[in-house]
Amino acid sequence: MTAPAPALNPLSQDALARLSAVIESRKAANGGDPAASYVARLLHQGPDAFLKKIGEEATEVVMAAKDADHGGDRSKIVYEVADLWFHCLIALAHYDLSPADVVAELARRAGTSGIEEKALRKALLRDAQGG
């Protein structure tokens, strides 16, 4: 059995919640102005815009990690992951989800073997597909 993951620091949860609230405030329905806000612009442009950024940022995380493996600055990984998480928060907001939804899913998975969890997902998918 896998040891439970440590709880997310409440300050981290607060920071994610605050950032999520700012992103929510940038939605057009909340008065977000695409001419005045990068987040509002991405939300206004739609999923293609922020999903492209997520792909770019994920690639930059991989590149920073590879560089760190060869003596590069490990702090660049943190910088790039922050960019990735930020753009993921924009996607969550677009789909009316929150960081709390992700944290709840991680908590649900805590203590479950990754191998067991993946096997369960495959079984559920097979059942859903009628096979």
Side-chain angles (χ1 to χ4, degrees):
M1 180 146 172
T2 306
L8 189 62
N9 179 322
L11 294 176
S12 299
Q13 289 178 332
D14 290 347
L16 288 173
R18 282 192 309 274
L19 183 54
S20 181
V22 170
I23 291 168
E24 276 293 319
S25 77
R26 301 300 197 262
K27 287 182 170 182
N30 297 326
D33 179 3
S37 164
Y38 172 72
V39 171
R41 184 169 58 242
L42 282 178
L43 289 168
H44 176 76
Q45 290 172 341
D48 286 349
F50 58 77
L51 295 175
K52 179 180 176 185
K53 287 301 295 179
I54 289 171
E56 290 171 5
E57 298 303 342
T59 299
E60 290 175 11
V61 169
V62 171
M63 292 169 45
K66 289 294 215 176
D67 287 347
D69 284 340
H70 298 283
D73 183 358
R74 293 178 348 145
S75 68
K76 288 185 179 179
I77 299 170
V78 172
Y79 180 87
E80 297 302 345
V81 168
D83 284 350
L84 175 60
W85 285 14
F86 175 76
H87 288 89
C88 288
L89 289 172
I90 294 171
L92 288 171
H94 173 79
Y95 294 107
D96 295 322
L97 298 166
S98 73
D101 296 316
V102 177
V103 170
E105 176 60 16
L106 291 171
R108 184 191 69 78
R109 294 180 188 185
T112 303
S113 157
I115 294 170
E116 291 170 6
E117 200 274 335
K118 186 174 181 179
L120 177 61
R121 277 189 281 138
K122 282 184 178 181
L124 291 172
L125 181 60
R126 274 194 310 271
D127 290 348
Q129 293 174 342

